[in-house]
Amino acid sequence: MAATGLAMQRALEAAVAEANAAGGVLGQRLVLSVEDDGCASATAQGAANTLLASKPALVVGHPCSSAAISARPLYGQAGVLLIAVGARHPDVTRLSAPAPLLRLAGRDDRQGEAAARWLLSHAPSQRVALVHDRTGYARAILDGAVAGLKAAGVDPVSLLPIVAGKPDYEEIALRLKEDRAEALFFAGYPDEAAIIVARLAALGVDIPILGSDALATPEFARTASQAGQRIAVLLPSELSPAAAKDLSSPEKVNDDATNAGLHARSAFEAWLGTVKKLGTFDGAALAQALRGAPIRTPSLGEIGFDANGDLDAPAFAPASPRGGRWIPDN
């Protein structure tokens, strides 16, 4: 995570310098303090305590979920606003009590919601099917997908568990054909997915297939490229300048570290704009305001947070195979 941390530091150094050159905020000059959380629970608490000793108005960071989860109670007790960048674990914003906390990143437990949206958009008569390998990983995603479908008033025509490691899944392919499924979501791993894809092709069942993020391997990308069906997988997604129409250079965003720097700067910009609007540095008031309405930032365009403090944007997006890689769909 060293490159990520350095990119965040450089982005914030530049943002703070620009803000000070423009006169600071509320008549005060901004000072940036940087601490290394070590991407670990124990060292994150030490870094948080060091920062809190200087009574900060804002903390941006802890891109590792374990560090963010460990440090967040300390900021909450002090009433300091934390905008977590890059930390995707659900527990980052799963609080027992309100705290001035926002997350500028997607949540890993929202993959099922993304699967449901994709299925509904690819099944003209809403005849959707779900197959899973019974693992805890797959079941968690499946539960989210089923909930998303039910919210839209749709029940799957097929909801089929498999036993991982079998050499064939002909019965699954036959069932999908009999149920006249129009779109399939598979929550599991590449070996089993490849067998099911081959069996469907052998039966002449040509339906779009979406896989969970565990299928996003180069090997399965090559398999999917050679298949006759349309195959996509879900990938974690984040805001980028490509989503902000007023930015002129989206091509500059090409790696995780660069994205982390942009997100850190955008978190600062959102805070700065809200401080100027409200005329206060109070963390709770700023968090409430940022949860209440989207705000436009120069780096990422318009961003918003839901009532829980999570980024109000899709956490996962479909990607298609190309040249042995998975490329996000436009």
Side-chain angles (χ1 to χ4, degrees):
M1 299 294 291
T4 294
L6 183 59
M8 293 171 64
Q9 177 178 338
R10 287 175 174 169
L12 289 169
E13 286 171 345
V16 166
E18 291 168 14
N20 283 331
V25 57
L26 303 188
Q28 297 192 48
R29 178 180 174 81
L30 295 163
V31 177
L32 176 67
S33 298
V34 180
E35 292 294 327
D36 186 354
D37 66 16
C39 195
S41 299
T43 46
Q45 291 184 2
N49 282 321
T50 300
L51 289 173
L52 287 171
S54 64
K55 302 186 185 315
L58 168 71
V59 175
V60 177
H62 298 295
C64 291
S65 290
S66 59
I69 292 168
S70 180
R72 64 168 193 176
L74 300 176
Y75 301 124
Q77 293 164 12
V80 172
L81 174 59
L82 166 64
I83 303 182
V85 174
R88 295 182 60 95
H89 194 285
D91 285 352
V92 171
T93 50
R94 192 177 286 162
L95 302 171
S96 57
L101 169 63
L102 303 169
R103 182 212 305 265
L104 187 53
R107 280 179 59 145
D108 280 338
D109 61 345
R110 293 182 174 175
Q111 187 168 177
E113 297 175 12
R117 290 193 299 270
W118 188 93
L119 286 169
L120 293 171
S121 67
H122 286 80
S125 301
Q126 310 293 265
R127 299 185 64 81
V128 301
L130 300 99
V131 177
H132 67 96
D133 67 1
R134 305 173 189 247
T135 60
Y137 157 79
R139 283 184 176 276
I141 298 172
L142 188 80
D143 289 345
V146 171
L149 292 171
K150 286 188 179 297
V154 174
D155 290 318
V157 297
S158 302
L159 185 55
L160 307 173
I162 66 170
V163 176
K166 291 179 63 176
D168 199 4
Y169 296 101
E170 183 177 13
E171 73 283 3
I172 297 295
L174 285 170
R175 177 69 180 277
L176 293 170
K177 182 176 183 178
E178 292 169 0
D179 291 342
R180 294 181 289 113
E182 296 175 315
L184 167 65
F185 175 63
F186 177 80
Y189 293 90
D191 289 349
E192 291 75 20
I195 295 171
I196 292 173
V197 166
R199 271 300 176 188
L200 289 172
L203 292 174
V205 179
D206 185 9
I207 59 174
I209 300 170
L210 177 70
S212 56
D213 62 343
L215 302 189
T217 67
E219 293 79 12
F220 191 68
R222 289 188 285 271
T223 297
S225 296
Q226 296 167 4
Q229 300 101 314
R230 176 182 175 181
I231 299 176
V233 300
L234 288 171
L235 293 179
S237 64
E238 305 291 357
L239 292 178
S240 72
K245 296 179 181 179
D246 59 335
L247 295 185
S248 60
S249 301
E251 69 276 1
K252 292 183 180 178
V253 180
N254 55 15
D255 56 53
D256 291 342
T258 301
N259 277 323
L262 283 167
H263 292 171
R265 183 182 177 106
S266 186
F268 172 81
E269 292 167 348
W271 171 84
L272 185 65
T274 308
V275 167
K276 291 179 178 179
K277 180 180 179 181
L278 298 186
T280 181
F281 293 112
D282 182 73
L286 294 169
Q288 183 177 0
L290 284 164
R291 293 176 183 181
I295 185 169
R296 180 159 293 278
T297 67
S299 294
L300 292 178
E302 188 174 85
I303 62 173
F305 302 91
D306 63 21
N308 196 54
D310 290 305
L311 182 65
D312 190 11
F316 287 83
S320 299
R322 191 183 310 160
R325 299 172 57 202
W326 294 97
I327 307 299
D329 296 340
N330 294 326

